[in-house]
Amino acid sequence: MSTFPGIGDPVPDIALETPEGGTVRVSDFAGKKLVLFFYPKDDTPGCTTENQDFTALADEFAAAGVVLLGISKDSPARHSKFIAKYGLKAPLASDVAEGGLSDALGIWAEKQNYGRSYMGMVRTTLLVDADGRIAQVWSKVKVKGHAAEVLAAAKAL
């Protein structure tokens, strides 16, 4: 596992799969502010709420010149179903490859639940500036009020 990058560090430019069958990279958003929100699993209560909260504020993020991108290890097909089921507006990307973006950032990490250890996505959000550098990090995110907090920080950037 690599060390988590800090404020001012560039985000690794690793390709992620889109539900439409293409790829997306941080460099695709050069010159724009970007919110990368990493979450554990599609169609689970906390992750659904987080995606719905970002969807509810999607127009405000767009008006502020900020691009949203939700990332999990779910497959592109699962993302497509998740987007359709909830009418999500924030684009989603799949980080399924070994050594992918969440691995490079240290967000795919060992977790524990009820005494059991397993690898999982640590709910984390990165605010990335127009130069592709990390401007702010939210780690081990609590979903309630998070999207609004990220919007306020993005507007201030």
Side-chain angles (χ1 to χ4, degrees), residues 6-60:
I7 305 299
D9 288 345
V11 178
D13 198 33
I14 297 172
L16 304 168
E17 295 179 65
T18 64
E20 301 78 31
T23 60
V24 64
R25 300 171 170 269
V26 170
S27 61
D28 295 340
F29 305 103
K32 296 180 181 170
K33 293 183 276 187
L34 174 64
V35 170
L36 300 174
F37 62 99
F38 293 82
Y39 63 94
K41 193 164 184 60
D42 288 348
D43 216 0
T44 57
C47 298
T48 299
T49 298
E50 183 177 19
N51 274 277
Q52 288 174 319
D53 289 353
F54 276 111
T55 289
L57 297 173
D59 292 340
E60 289 185 58

Side-chain angles (χ1 to χ4, degrees), residues 1 39-41 44 47 73 103 106-123 140:
M1 184 176 91
Y39 63 94
K41 193 164 184 60
T44 57
C47 298
K73 292 270 187 185
D103 291 299
I107 295 170
W108 183 252
E110 187 173 336
K111 297 170 85 175
Q112 292 198 343
N113 194 16
Y114 299 110
R116 185 176 67 94
S117 293
Y118 60 96
M119 294 302 289
M121 189 77 75
V122 177
R123 192 182 308 275
K140 298 181 181 173

Side-chain angles (χ1 to χ4, degrees), residues 52-92:
Q52 288 174 319
D53 289 353
F54 276 111
T55 289
L57 297 173
D59 292 340
E60 289 185 58
F61 276 101
V66 181
V67 178
L68 294 171
L69 184 62
I71 302 168
S72 78
K73 292 270 187 185
D74 291 302
S75 69
R78 187 169 170 110
H79 278 336
S80 291
K81 290 177 186 169
F82 186 46
I83 291 166
K85 183 175 180 179
Y86 294 101
L88 302 176
K89 289 184 184 177
L92 301 180

